[in-house]
Amino acid sequence: MTHILRETQCGKFNENTDYLEMSKKDNGASVILAYLNEKNRPYSAQDVFCNLQKQHGLGKTAVVKAVELLALEGKIKEKTYGKQKIYFADQAQFKDVSDADLKSMDGQISELSAEVQSLTQSCRQLETELKELNSSLTTEDMTSEIRGLKEECSGYRARLEKIKSATNHVTPQEKEKVYKERDVYVKEWKKRKRLASDMINAILEGYPKSKKEFLDEVGVETDEDCKVAVPST
């Protein structure tokens, strides 16, 4: 019983084999034949092109012609599935593989697949740890930041001691007096602003020009011109 392993994706072929030095006078047919015999897997012409074109510089048209010629000469086998053609090594040149051997290979494949999955998970975990370490501060950076924070705290302490030792502190009574005086001035400001606005609006009813022109003419500066606003009480 022959056994062919199928490969569904187009991969790279970078192995160092004897046929790497073969002549290209046959448009790559010898390279393709050696490749199919060594891999012993079914490939489409596109797969062969993808796997060999980078290393051997084979064009897609040349690959298609080469596999068709090899199949016509009986050196490889051709199968058609709908519009898709696949090519693979002539199995007659290989020894038959027993069911026991196939079962053994299936077991090896399962073990290797499990190992690959385990290694993949380990790599992901290590990548996550590496990312966390790269985003963390180094010992040198942390030492520098601690030093800066200590200096900042020292400055705050000195400032606090200076404030505590000052003799010109404002008493609660003085603070309350200042706030009351401020309220009086703010109310007066609002009152005068309202009166001035009422008078200007009354004049503008019979004034032929715009409000801005009137204010410029009489030399009135508004709070907005001085970039100030009435504080909230």
Side-chain angles (χ1 to χ4, degrees):
M1 172 182 281
T2 59
H3 177 62
I4 298 177
L5 297 177
R6 296 184 180 274
E7 181 178 63
T8 58
Q9 295 182 348
C10 181
K12 296 181 179 179
F13 180 64
N14 294 317
E15 296 181 5
N16 184 18
T17 57
D18 293 338
Y19 57 82
L20 294 182
E21 303 298 330
M22 288 184 177
S23 172
K24 292 185 179 179
K25 292 181 180 180
D26 57 356
N27 294 324
S30 58
V31 172
I32 294 172
L33 176 60
Y35 176 72
L36 291 176
N37 284 336
E38 178 179 338
K39 292 303 180 182
N40 194 20
R41 299 176 182 178
Y43 289 103
S44 67
Q46 177 67 27
D47 293 333
V48 176
F49 166 70
C50 290
N51 293 349
L52 299 179
Q53 64 95 14
K54 182 176 181 181
Q55 189 171 5
H56 296 278
L58 300 178
K60 185 174 181 180
T61 301
V63 170
V64 172
K65 290 182 178 179
V67 294
E68 288 178 349
L69 177 62
L70 290 170
L72 185 63
E73 294 176 346
K75 294 180 180 179
I76 63 174
K77 296 299 182 180
E78 176 187 282
K79 289 288 185 180
T80 302
Y81 296 94
K83 296 182 179 180
Q84 178 82 8
K85 289 184 177 181
I86 62 168
Y87 302 89
F88 53 91
D90 183 3
Q91 300 301 298
Q93 64 182 309
F94 302 116
K95 295 180 179 179
D96 290 341
V97 181
S98 65
D99 291 340
D101 291 336
L102 288 175
K103 187 175 181 180
S104 176
M105 284 188 281
D106 288 339
Q108 292 177 8
I109 292 173
S110 298
E111 291 178 2
L112 291 174
S113 298
E115 184 178 356
V116 168
Q117 184 176 3
S118 177
L119 290 173
T120 301
Q121 292 177 350
S122 298
C123 287
R124 289 177 180 173
Q125 183 178 356
L126 291 174
E127 287 175 355
T128 302
E129 293 178 4
L130 179 60
K131 185 177 181 180
E132 292 176 354
L133 290 173
N134 287 335
S135 62
S136 302
L137 293 175
T138 63
T139 302
E140 183 178 353
D141 292 337
M142 293 182 68
T143 301
S144 177
E145 185 169 348
I146 291 172
R147 187 184 306 111
L149 290 173
K150 286 182 177 180
E151 291 175 357
E152 187 176 353
C153 289
S154 179
Y156 287 144
R157 289 193 188 95
R159 183 180 176 185
L160 180 60
E161 291 299 327
K162 185 177 180 180
I163 293 173
K164 289 181 177 180
S165 61
T167 57
N168 58 344
H169 292 298
V170 178
T171 63
Q173 294 78 11
E174 291 174 328
K175 182 178 179 181
E176 184 178 0
K177 179 181 177 182
V178 170
Y179 275 109
K180 286 183 178 180
E181 290 178 353
R182 175 183 178 277
D183 291 340
V184 173
Y185 294 139
V186 170
K187 289 179 181 178
E188 187 64 24
W189 185 351
K190 290 182 178 180
K191 177 181 177 182
R192 295 190 181 190
K193 183 179 178 70
R194 185 173 60 256
L195 291 174
S197 180
D198 291 342
M199 288 189 292
I200 290 172
N201 290 334
I203 295 172
L204 289 175
E205 290 180 1
Y207 189 71
K209 299 181 182 180
S210 65
K211 181 178 181 180
K212 184 177 185 305
E213 291 175 316
F214 170 73
L215 295 177
D216 291 340
E217 185 176 339
V218 297
V220 174
E221 291 184 348
T222 64
D223 292 341
E224 291 73 20
D225 293 333
C226 299
K227 296 181 179 180
V228 295
V230 180
S232 58
T233 54

